[in-house]
Amino acid sequence: MKKALTIVIGFVHDFAAGCWAATVLGVYWLSAQSVPLEIGSIMFGLKKQLFYAGIGSIVLVFTMGAGRSFTYVSNVYGPDAERVRRKMLIMKHIALIVIFGSGTYWQYSMVFD
């Protein structure tokens, strides 16, 4: 059961990250369109829904990431490789927090500014 849970958590974590990226690109694409004034409110509503779907995706990424820490099998490759893996994970998470933060801010500015 724990192996299946590990796979599902990892899948949802990765899928939610991809969904977040898709919402950012969707808002960007919609913002680049020139639309008649009559459908401006519809376009705003669509961009707003994508923005909030992106926020939901981030919540899923963080939640499933926390779940991964409880289901991950450590020391698979030995203590030396585990130290390197942990350092790489820290660097990856710092980079991803910057990417998620700046991408979400960019998305927010395209929707609400």
Side-chain angles (χ1 to χ4, degrees):
M1 180 69 178
K2 186 175 178 180
K3 288 180 184 181
L5 186 62
T6 301
I7 292 168
V8 169
I9 286 173
F11 174 79
V12 173
H13 179 76
D14 296 342
F15 186 74
C19 287
W20 172 81
T23 65
V24 173
L25 292 174
V27 168
Y28 170 73
W29 183 78
L30 290 172
S31 295
Q33 304 303 310
S34 59
V35 296
L37 196 56
E38 301 85 39
I39 65 167
S41 65
I42 295 170
M43 192 69 83
F44 173 69
L46 185 55
K47 290 193 302 186
K48 194 165 71 167
Q49 286 178 0
L50 282 172
F51 173 76
Y52 288 122
I55 297 294
S57 295
I58 290 174
V59 169
L60 263 178
V61 167
F62 287 163
T63 303
M64 294 298 117
R68 265 184 158 178
S69 66
F70 295 112
T71 60
Y72 192 82
V73 178
S74 61
N75 249 349
V76 174
Y77 302 110
D80 292 336
E82 185 64 19
R83 276 192 291 279
V84 172
R85 186 189 71 81
R86 287 181 189 265
K87 286 180 187 177
M88 296 300 289
L89 274 173
I90 290 169
M91 292 185 332
K92 177 189 92 165
H93 284 95
I94 290 169
L96 288 176
I97 286 172
V98 170
I99 291 168
F100 274 119
S102 59
T104 301
Y105 175 75
W106 182 46
Q107 189 179 33
Y108 177 85
S109 68
M110 287 186 285
V111 174
F112 295 108
D113 283 346

